[in-house]
Every structure is written in structure tokens, then in C-alpha cells.
Amino acid sequence: MTIPTKPMMALRFIATVVLSAVVAQAGWAAAYLGGDRSYLRQHTLGGGVTLAVCVLAATAYVALRRAAGRVNVALAIFLAAAVGGQYALGAVEAVGPHIFLGVLIAMIATALTSWTYRHQDSSVITSGDGLAPGSGR
């Protein structure tokens, strides 16, 4: 049994929050594109929140890069940059590219979450008997 270290637990939490923000944004967008124009305000406000969450997440991944690994750090930085571009496209109302990039962002956020949950950093605690250290029998 492997037990994730505290940095990996933090990164997994962060990745889950990032994915949740991205999925929420997709939901607001779908509601707006479905014909209810009142959802544009939520989608616009959510864009700022999602951008902030992704920039903070990228900062955390860089700070915890030894535990995160190169792929996860690259994905987090790429995601933050893509969301920044997405925010700019939304601001100038470039709807087609905004939607295209939104789909790509959902894929990157999913990859980041998946890779973060699968990643084992070098300081993982391994217990040979399948029990957590100190758990007793």
C-alpha cells in the first residue's frame, strides 16, 4: 500500500478544485448557449474565478515541483496560460475560438487531475504488508 505525502495530497486537492472550476464554467457556458442569456453574468464572473484558481494552482505546482513532477508542472502552467487566453477571448467576444479553447481547457484540466492522482513522488511511504505504517493489526 502506498500513502501519498502531504504535498501530493495538497496537489490532488488543488487539481480537483481546478477541474471543478472548469466544469462549472462549462456548465454556465452551456446554459448560456442553450438560450438563457441570463447565465452570461455567471459565466463572466466564473471566468475570473477560474483564472485566479488556475494561476494559484500553477503557482502551487511550481512551488511543489519536486513532489508534482515535470509533467504535472507543465500541465498546470499550460492550463493557467490557456485560461488566460480564454479569458481574453471572452473579453473581446471571440465566440468561436473561445468555445474551441474551452474544450481544450477541459481536456487539459482532466489530464492534470488524472496525472496528479496517478503520480507518485519520490518520498511516497510504502508499507509492505498493505497496512499504513503505525496502523497496527
Side-chain angles (χ1 to χ4, degrees):
M1 173 180 190
T2 58
I3 301 168
T5 61
K6 288 182 183 180
M8 282 311 300
M9 290 175 66
L11 290 171
R12 289 173 181 172
F13 173 79
I14 291 166
T16 302
V17 171
V18 166
L19 184 60
S20 298
V22 169
V23 169
Q25 273 302 93
W28 294 124
Y32 173 72
L33 292 173
D36 191 341
R37 301 295 182 223
S38 66
Y39 287 106
L40 181 59
R41 178 175 166 83
Q42 286 90 338
H43 184 63
T44 301
L45 292 172
V49 171
T50 302
L51 178 58
V53 165
C54 289
V55 168
L56 290 171
T59 303
Y61 272 81
V62 169
L64 299 172
R65 65 188 167 275
R66 292 167 99 192
R70 291 180 183 167
V71 171
N72 287 330
V73 171
L75 284 169
I77 292 169
F78 186 55
L79 179 62
V83 171
Q86 175 77 338
Y87 190 83
L89 287 171
V92 298
E93 299 179 9
V95 177
H98 184 79
I99 292 170
F100 176 82
L101 187 55
V103 173
L104 181 61
I105 286 169
M107 294 166 58
I108 298 166
T110 302
L112 175 64
T113 305
S114 175
W115 277 81
T116 299
Y117 273 83
R118 293 177 350 137
H119 181 71
Q120 298 294 331
D121 72 78
S122 60
S123 58
V124 168
I125 301 167
T126 303
S127 173
D129 62 2
L131 298 173
S135 66
R137 289 203 178 241

